[in-house]
Amino acid sequence: MSYLSYDEISSGIQLLCDEYSDYCRLVQLPNTSVETRTIYAMAIADHVGTDAKTAIVVGGVHAREWIPPDALLFLCADLLEARAKGTGLRYGNAYISKQEIEQVFAKLQFVVLPCANPDGRVYSQMVDPDWRKNRSRNAKPDGTVCHGVDLNRNFDVAWDFKQAFAPNSVSASDDPCNKYIYVGPQAASEPETRNIVWLLDHYKGTRWYLDIHSAIPAVFHSWGLDENQSAQPGMNFLNPAHDGQRGIAGDTVYQEFIKASDLAELNRLSQLMADEIQQVRGDQYDVSAGFSLYATSGASDDYAYSRHIADPAKPKVLGFTMECGHEFQPDWQEAQEVMREVAAALVRFAVDASAQAGV
């Protein structure tokens, strides 16, 4: 075995939904990739639907991180087989019972997008293993043409980093030829970004969003904009009075507001996943807000959480980023171990979320 190609991932998604049609619905995303590849997700539950309480799980946003798409397809195959056969799942010392699997399918919908950035994955696997972005064509004023936008800097939350953040404080670039962190010409400019926005809009019962990356290892949660605080609601990403102040660690001039109850729940669920990962083979994942790594603008987990603040008519969605493993492209034996860690963590998360799904 080796890492899956995008065609194999796409075929695998379709085959799973064909084989387990009682529990899996194929979801064709509305936008093809820049290079016109069709992108598929799966809705997994006993009863799928747009209003069902939902956790959206996304992988492959960054092309060079080869494990997450394979891990998510592996997870879905395990979940569907366990539900169909009436069994539990075991990953090392992590065990999820038959009854817990049944609870997940009965009370939670998993919407899984294994590979959000197919063009980038193809390019990373065929041309440049270090490729991170998508493959959009970007022309500079002098006529220079470069390729790619960092999809995890392209979401509409503090996207205009030069306005929102203090100078040189954030991991972002407006240079179209920056290899890693070009934010794009405007927020949600990329079709792959818009597909994730569509999932959040379409599945109105979404309450959790998890973006699977590599390789730190850690489980992060909102915010990535600045350090968290729960005392000053007016100190938030929508307030232009704080433009130019965000992103500096250790200061008190600006820190991002988050409700204490939300922060506690984000911490609890992040630690729950980290604890389950440790049960697989003893690996220890850090747990913290995304800002502990570095300040980020336009990230998908912050966007998911920000939506109910920017528009109170939208539901609250708790946002997480899992950074799995220790390398972007480890050998296949190590990759399989990391995939088991991801699967164990996400199934344990689903068991917990399903117990809340009627709330």
Side-chain angles (χ1 to χ4, degrees), residues 4 6 9-10 12-13 16 27 29 39-42 57-61 65-74 76 111-117 121 199 211-212:
L4 298 173
Y6 180 69
I9 292 167
S10 184
I13 293 168
L16 285 175
V27 180
L29 278 297
I39 304 174
Y40 294 108
M42 292 173 277
V57 187
V58 173
V61 168
E65 300 165 11
W66 290 3
I67 292 177
D70 297 62
L72 293 185
L73 195 62
F74 171 73
C76 292
V111 173
V112 182
L113 170 56
C115 189
N117 178 14
R121 184 174 180 87
L199 286 174
D211 189 7
I212 312 304

Side-chain angles (χ1 to χ4, degrees), residues 131 133 136-149 173-184:
W131 192 258
K133 303 178 293 181
S136 62
R137 185 179 186 275
N138 306 299
K140 298 179 75 171
D142 66 2
T144 302
V145 174
C146 296
H147 287 85
V149 167
S173 173
D174 60 357
D175 178 0
C177 293
N178 184 290
K179 184 175 180 180
Y180 299 108
I181 51 174
Y182 174 50
V183 302

Side-chain angles (χ1 to χ4, degrees), residues 57-125:
V57 187
V58 173
V61 168
H62 286 153
R64 65 184 178 180
E65 300 165 11
W66 290 3
I67 292 177
D70 297 62
L72 293 185
L73 195 62
F74 171 73
L75 162 71
C76 292
D78 276 2
L79 274 174
L80 288 164
E81 183 180 29
R83 179 67 181 94
K85 291 185 176 180
T87 65
L89 289 171
R90 181 177 293 280
Y91 305 103
N93 289 325
Y95 179 70
I96 302 93
S97 70
K98 167 184 178 291
Q99 291 76 19
E100 288 173 320
I101 296 293
E102 290 173 349
Q103 173 185 303
V104 167
F105 275 78
K107 296 184 177 181
L108 181 72
Q109 178 173 240
F110 245 170
V111 173
V112 182
L113 170 56
C115 189
N117 178 14
D119 301 344
R121 184 174 180 87
V122 170
Y123 193 79
S124 177
Q125 290 185 327

Side-chain angles (χ1 to χ4, degrees), residues 104 126 245 255 313 315:
V104 167
M126 300 297 293
Q245 299 175 346
Q255 296 176 327

